[in-house]
Amino acid sequence: MVAAAGFVFAAVVYVLAVLTKAGQTIENAALRGADQDNVTESDAAWDALGQITVYSLAAAVVAVALVGVLRKRWDLTVAAVGVIVVGQVVVQALKRFVLPRPELVEVTGDYAHNSLPSGHTTIAMTVLFAAIIVVPWKWRGVMLFFVLPWATAIGQYTLTAKWHRLSDTLAADGIALAVAALAAWWLQRKGSLQPYTGPRRAGRVVLVVFWSFVAAATLALGGILWGFSLANEGLNADEWVIYLGAGTFATAGSLIAALTYLACWRRIA
């Protein structure tokens, strides 16, 4: 069900944002609004995205595989590595060969190119999901403390750096979640997953509650920014406000995807 919901969500995002004039207009306004961000924020975004390379991706795959090998859990290793690899295969195939971007509004240069789904967002989210799969239950909270903030920030960084549109990051969240859910489903079918019956980890509960609050707050803030601006000014809304709303929606989308997948693994060893 989660896998199906992820794919459907990505499809709906594509239809609304790419195949409608209003969607393209709003997202292009957000890209132009990013030009008004300060240099410090832009440089930070470029630095964070620049660290995601073929080599760093390979290192992440090796690290995930190494955890599984050290645990002598080949099933978890295959599932975790598969999430990262399959995630990239799916999004790159969709972006390069499958999904068109019709010219519904007058644009030039990079704005005319299809960039959905975001490969960088997919990498960040699938690495997080792979870590959830392969890391032992007692260390899952520690892993989340370090990996979750980084993974969920990448989507927003792609907007700040103007590498991607909001729809690119949201579609990537949905696809990454769907692929990871299928991997978990495969593990369950194999009998690889067992319920955890030990005590609850208070620190992890606090962490999840905190990020759930952040997800709700950013989602509400994005709705307020876009709601008032679009209601009062229509498609001619202030580009800076549209950009700010897109950034908060990007953060909320990644957090909701992460928390949804984490909920699927609640008390699962």
Side-chain angles (χ1 to χ4, degrees), residues 99-131:
L99 300 179
R101 185 176 184 84
E103 296 182 6
L104 303 181
V105 297
E106 186 177 351
V107 292
T108 58
D110 292 338
Y111 284 18
H113 297 161
N114 177 56
S115 53
L116 184 150
S118 165
H120 282 76
T121 303
T122 304
I123 288 174
M125 297 304 293
T126 53
V127 167
L128 171 63
F129 295 151

Side-chain angles (χ1 to χ4, degrees), residues 77 153 195 198:
T77 303

Side-chain angles (χ1 to χ4, degrees), residues 180-261:
L182 289 176
W185 175 75
W186 175 72
L187 288 170
Q188 185 175 0
R189 297 272 294 182
K190 283 177 56 64
S192 299
L193 306 182
Q194 301 296 327
Y196 175 80
T197 57
R200 180 180 299 177
R201 302 268 177 163
R204 189 181 306 176
V205 173
V206 171
L207 189 66
V208 171
V209 170
F210 169 77
W211 285 114
S212 298
F213 174 79
V214 173
T218 51
L219 184 63
L221 179 59
I224 292 172
L225 289 171
W226 276 25
F228 280 102
S229 184
L230 293 174
N232 293 329
E233 304 174 58
L235 296 181
N236 296 317
D238 185 272
E239 294 170 349
W240 172 247
V241 176
I242 295 299
Y243 161 70
L244 292 177
T248 56
F249 278 136
T251 300
S254 295
L255 281 172
I256 291 171
L259 293 169
T260 299
Y261 195 63

Side-chain angles (χ1 to χ4, degrees), residues 12-20 22-25 27 101 116 167:
V12 171
V13 166
Y14 172 71
V15 170
L16 294 179
V18 180
L19 300 186
T20 67
Q24 290 194 14
T25 300
E27 290 206 298
R101 185 176 184 84
L116 184 150
S167 60

